[in-house]
Amino acid sequence: MSRSAAMTSRPRRHAWLRLVGCALALWGFFGFVGPWMVSVIPAWRQYCEVQEAHGLNSGAIFYTDVPVSLEAERANRAAVEAAMSRRRAAARKGADAQGVPHEVRAP
């Protein structure tokens, strides 16, 4: 084996071992240590009980699968769209009153 091939294969093997080691450490923490800590620490136990009682998924990224959050997001989006359409309509009405040609107006 040439010297350059030996130098490149050793760091590559070391990088793969580090990657696998980190993955195993994360799996161990989230699979065993985390649940054990929840069972031992009363505050975390209560936190989990409240989540389960309200049907919350703490692993949700954007909480769109939580019905209350999804409903609030939709209501907020609808309110913003309604306000923007009223604002555009008022701007068009003002442009019509001033006699601005339709081609010059902003959308």
Side-chain angles (χ1 to χ4, degrees):
M1 181 183 291
S2 71
R3 183 175 169 93
S4 64
M7 292 181 83
T8 58
S9 66
R10 183 170 291 156
R12 184 174 293 155
R13 188 175 343 152
H14 182 68
W16 277 106
L17 288 174
R18 285 180 54 189
L19 178 66
V20 170
C22 288
L24 286 174
L26 287 171
W27 175 74
F29 181 77
F30 288 111
F32 299 105
V33 177
W36 173 78
M37 290 175 70
V38 167
S39 68
V40 172
I41 300 172
W44 284 8
R45 192 175 325 122
Q46 181 184 4
Y47 176 74
C48 289
E49 289 170 359
V50 168
Q51 283 186 10
E52 290 175 10
H54 292 286
L56 298 174
N57 180 8
S58 63
I61 296 175
F62 295 109
Y63 287 98
T64 53
D65 59 345
V66 177
V68 173
S69 297
L70 181 59
E71 182 180 327
E73 179 189 354
R74 287 179 177 163
N76 187 26
R77 190 175 301 253
V80 169
E81 288 173 357
M84 288 304 295
S85 65
R86 283 195 304 268
R87 186 173 182 175
R88 287 185 190 111
R92 281 190 210 110
K93 194 179 223 181
D96 287 340
Q98 293 176 359
V100 177
H102 184 52
E103 300 80 34
V104 179
R105 288 186 224 154

